[in-house]
Amino acid sequence: MTSHNTFDNEPTVPLVVARGEDVFSPVPQQPEDLPAEYETPNRPKSLWRRMMSPLYAVGVGPWIALFSLIVLGVMSYTFLLPALPLAAAGAIFGSSGALLLVPVVMLLGFLTLPLLGLWFGYFERWRIELAGHGKIASGHVPVPLHNFGEWLKVRYTEAATWREVASLVFGAFMASIAGLIVLLETIILMIAGVVWYYLAINRDPLNIWYDPSSFGLNTMFQSQVELYRHSDPLMFSNLNLDHPNWVITPDMWWLAPLSIFIVLFFFAYINGLLAATSTTLSKLILSPRPEEYERKVAKLTASRTTIVDSFESERRRIERNLHDGVQQELVNINLRLGLAEMEAKNLVAQGLPVESIQQQLTQSKTELTHALQTLRNTVRGIYPAVLEDHGLYAALEELARHSVIPTKLNFQLRERPRREVERVAYYTVNEAITNTLKHTAATRITVNVWDSLTHLMVEVIDNGGGGADPSAGTGLAGLRERAEALGGNVQVTSVPGESSTIALSVPLHG
Amino acid sequence: MRIVLAEDSALLREGLKMVLTHLGHEVVAWSEDAPGLLDACQRLGRANIDIVLTDVRMPPTNTSDGLQAALQLREAYADLPILVLSQYIASAYARELFATSATGLGYLLKDRVGNIEEFARALTTVAAGGTVIDPDVISHLMNAPQETNKLAALTSREREILALMAQGKSNADIEEELFVSSATVAKHIGNVFDKLGLPPDAGNRRVRPVLTFLEAS
């Protein structure tokens, strides 16, 4: 059968991965690691890539780096600081002899860290994305905050939280280094600015001496030399004040802005390196591990299965209530009406004028029978008892026979699948037949059920002229949900002017 | 007739008792679940039961316990007449019930009991060793897709007669219902047997064709 080929080409294995991506978007991508051919023009450039560009220093890159460092510094210290008073208190208690309190205070500090880390992680991920190093999934399991106890429990035991704590400590460390370096850079720039001012505005020459006692060089403006010469002549007795080794005259003021440009160029790279290193390492610390993803996928699949299962038991309950309640009552009324009808018939036979009563009773009974049939069809749609008792084939056979459109069933299974799989297969066929009836002018439906080595395959093909909309219908969405909870999928394809196909593929073994 | 009744809905059980009493039968034992039915039959013994009337879906598992109990009873007492009442048309249940034999067995939809005469006739037919299959089940079998349907070779008249036969109706009943002569009925029945490749002297011949189909599908 040609239609089966549609399935053979389907990638069935990567389904879990695909679902994982859907669920956990934003997907953690590692743009730096991707080969060049995968790059898209829209993708933000990482700081590493920016620094490779020859135009890095004149672009926006250095400013991003600087901003990133400032943000890191502000954030890490803001979030680490609340823990410091506790540490300080610990030290005070320790030194004042209240040794018993030390572990208590340390514990308190330790316990606040995850909460601070949580917040820090939030900003840190933002910073990493800002620096163009890609998005990172938080790795946190969603827990509603109003269930605070549960939230705390989950957060304190999550790997993601402790990764964030690690990143906070690392961030504070990096920020300390970066802070010192940026401070140094600022001082250098300020000195250059002052020199520029003295040379260009004050026309004050800068004298430079070779001076082993003071870092090798000593510098003084001419005005300073004059000042010291009068106020404190002995202070620079080791220098020949009138004969400096080098003199930068006011005419050479351009040396100051030039040196500013040169140091700025280097600072751009130094800051870039600092920011890129902190971001990359922070990302390494913060990124959820693959095992965590797998665990989460497994957990989520399980919870979806639970939801589907609870729907299932709810349907079963409704069916049971209908069956045990209203169906039996209607049957009983039918019974009584039957008796009354029979008695009326006897009375008519005896010549009594009760024909109209007999007619009314017969009419009521006909209507009641119709009500019972309708109810039976509804109940079958809610929860097919035949499916539970006799399996998929029997249930689909019923479905095919009840279908208004002639339906052909090709059924080839080596063994009875597990119940969940049977159910999703049954509901798929049910939904497909209902949809075909509702939305198309099909005159024929073919249902194919077979098993590949790993999957149960179901195909419902109609000749209704195609045009099936894969996104339409809540029924279909529900089916998809069910199928995906079992690790399968539902696909709707249509050949315009010819046919529509709803195809289901579910793993046979959970 | 002495009847053992198994039905888990108290309401319907009382209704059935009332109808059965009204029809002049005696409910010698009743039960509200499958084990109860088995116990009652064992206690009474085959000789004291004319027919068993049981629901399909009953406790303990609330699936087809009644049907399973019926099959067990048939294993113990091969000739014990049993009429199964079901809420479902499902031919799978009928197929399971008629898998090994068909004499003194019936499968009737619960809707049908409202038609007291039909219900009474079904009881009598089954108790006398006949076979009754609900008309709705028959018509669903008949409606099966042509390619897979062995009954496709039959003309509509032959199908009609086959359906009536399966409901346990006699030739006379059929003549009356279809307004045809007994010769015509006999001829059609002969054709049905021919077309389905059944020997005319096969046992339980009246429902044989339907059973053949049930087994094949």
Side-chain angles (χ1 to χ4, degrees), chain A residues 104-362:
Chain A
V104 176
V105 172
M106 276 173 71
L107 190 70
L108 273 176
F110 186 70
L111 286 180
T112 36
L113 264 181
L115 297 179
L116 301 166
L118 271 175
W119 278 98
F120 176 74
Y122 180 79
F123 282 107
E124 184 65 354
R125 281 189 292 276
W126 169 70
R127 186 180 76 93
I128 291 168
E129 196 189 340
L130 190 90
H133 287 234
K135 286 188 171 182
I136 315 176
S138 79
H140 286 298
V141 174
V143 183
L145 199 60
H146 58 77
N147 192 353
F148 193 66
E150 182 68 18
W151 184 85
L152 272 183
K153 203 181 115 202
V154 172
R155 289 291 173 266
Y156 272 90
T157 51
E158 261 181 332
T161 310
W162 293 99
R163 273 201 308 269
E164 283 162 340
V165 170
S167 135
L168 172 57
V169 172
F170 170 76
F173 169 72
M174 278 307 284
S176 308
I177 295 176
L180 283 178
I181 290 175
V182 171
L183 185 71
L184 203 67
E185 287 171 355
T186 315
I187 291 170
I188 289 171
L189 286 175
M190 278 168 71
I191 291 173
V194 167
V195 169
W196 187 2
Y197 178 83
Y198 271 83
L199 285 176
I201 310 294
N202 290 2
R203 311 295 298 170
D204 199 351
L206 181 66
N207 304 305
I208 304 171
W209 291 268
Y210 172 70
D211 180 7
S213 69
S214 163
F215 306 112
L217 288 178
N218 208 331
T219 56
M220 247 186 285
F221 289 103
Q222 191 58 42
S223 56
Q224 284 175 297
V225 173
E226 301 307 328
L227 199 69
Y228 287 123
R229 206 198 302 274
H230 297 296
S231 64
D232 199 355
L234 288 177
M235 189 173 173
F236 294 103
S237 55
N238 60 328
L239 300 178
N240 187 349
L241 288 182
D242 291 324
H243 296 283
N245 299 73
W246 300 278
V247 177
I248 298 170
T249 61
D251 293 339
M252 288 160 80
W253 60 269
W254 48 267
L255 272 174
L258 181 69
S259 60
I260 287 181
F261 269 114
I262 292 169
V263 295
L264 273 179
F265 181 80
F266 283 109
F267 291 171
Y269 279 93
I270 291 168
N271 292 353
L273 255 149
L274 274 170
T277 309
S278 75
T279 334
T280 300
L281 291 178
S282 196
K283 193 179 167 181
L284 267 178
I285 297 173
L286 277 179
S287 290
R289 307 293 176 258
E291 316 86 76
E292 276 176 60
Y293 272 105
E294 282 155 25
R295 260 208 307 278
K296 265 179 95 167
V297 168
K299 216 171 185 175
L300 217 77
T301 309
S303 77
R304 282 172 107 177
T305 313
T306 316
I307 290 169
V308 171
D309 281 352
S310 69
F311 275 134
E312 201 57 53
S313 58
E314 188 62 6
R315 290 176 91 112
R316 199 191 305 232
R317 197 185 60 77
I318 294 169
E319 192 265 352
R320 183 103 162 255
N321 285 349
L322 285 175
H323 176 269
D324 293 349
V326 72
Q327 265 185 330
Q328 307 300 338
E329 282 165 30
L330 287 180
V331 168
N332 198 42
I333 292 170
N334 200 18
L335 209 64
R336 285 180 180 277
L337 279 175
L339 273 180
E341 188 195 22
M342 200 172 73
E343 277 169 15
K345 212 168 163 183
N346 289 340
L347 292 178
V348 171
Q350 287 167 26
L352 288 165
V354 289
E355 285 94 342
S356 65
I357 296 177
Q358 192 200 343
Q359 275 166 17
Q360 286 296 337
L361 287 171
T362 310

Side-chain angles (χ1 to χ4, degrees), chain A residues 316 319-321 323-325 327-332 334-339 341-343 345-346 365 369 372-373 376-377 379-380 385-390 393-394 397-398 400-402 406-409, chain B residues 7-9 11-12 14-16 18-19 22-23 55-57 62-64 67-68 87-93 95-96 109-117 119 136 140-141 143-145 147-148 213 217:
Chain A
R316 199 191 305 232
E319 192 265 352
R320 183 103 162 255
N321 285 349
H323 176 269
D324 293 349
Q327 265 185 330
Q328 307 300 338
E329 282 165 30
L330 287 180
V331 168
N332 198 42
N334 200 18
L335 209 64
R336 285 180 180 277
L337 279 175
L339 273 180
E341 188 195 22
M342 200 172 73
E343 277 169 15
K345 212 168 163 183
N346 289 340
K365 225 160 60 67
T369 305
L372 268 168
Q373 276 167 2
R376 195 162 52 217
N377 288 340
V379 168
R380 192 177 41 240
V386 188
L387 181 64
E388 299 307 305
D389 296 347
H390 286 91
Y393 178 69
E397 197 187 13
E398 289 312 302
R401 292 227 173 97
H402 282 92
T407 303
K408 189 183 170 191
L409 175 64
Chain B
E7 162 64 58
D8 58 329
S9 155
L11 189 71
L12 191 56
E14 292 314 310
L16 282 169
M18 184 182 70
V19 170
H22 194 93
L23 289 171
D55 187 11
V56 168
R57 186 159 144 177
N62 274 308
T63 56
S64 55
L67 189 63
Q68 304 312 325
Q87 202 74 261
Y88 313 106
I89 293 174
S91 52
Y93 290 123
R95 205 181 301 145
E96 198 176 350
L109 280 183
K110 279 191 176 172
D111 305 14
R112 211 64 54 194
V113 299
N115 194 331
I116 309 289
E117 287 167 16
F119 178 48
D136 275 3
H140 278 283
L141 288 179
N143 287 341
E147 296 101 302
T148 58
F213 177 67
S217 64

Side-chain angles (χ1 to χ4, degrees), chain A residues 3 8 46 50 78-79 91 110 128 144 146 150 309 332 346 359 386 424 428 434 482:
Chain A
S3 49
D8 294 341
S46 76
R50 282 183 191 279
T78 308
F79 286 108
F110 186 70
I128 291 168
H146 58 77
E150 182 68 18
D309 281 352
N332 198 42
N346 289 340
Q359 275 166 17
V386 188
V424 74
T428 303
T434 312
R482 274 167 179 278

Side-chain angles (χ1 to χ4, degrees), chain B residues 73-153:
Chain B
L73 282 175
R74 289 289 285 203
E75 268 177 38
Y77 317 105
D79 61 342
L80 178 67
I82 300 176
L83 179 58
V84 174
L85 291 179
S86 172
Q87 202 74 261
Y88 313 106
I89 293 174
S91 52
Y93 290 123
R95 205 181 301 145
E96 198 176 350
L97 182 64
F98 295 111
T100 47
S101 93
T103 50
L105 273 183
Y107 184 90
L108 214 56
L109 280 183
K110 279 191 176 172
D111 305 14
R112 211 64 54 194
V113 299
N115 194 331
I116 309 289
E117 287 167 16
E118 210 176 313
F119 178 48
R121 194 178 48 234
L123 273 174
T124 323
T125 308
V126 173
T131 306
V132 173
I133 301 174
D134 193 274
D136 275 3
V137 176
I138 303 290
S139 72
H140 278 283
L141 288 179
M142 299 276 191
N143 287 341
Q146 296 298 302
E147 296 101 302
T148 58
N149 196 337
K150 277 193 176 180
L151 306 181

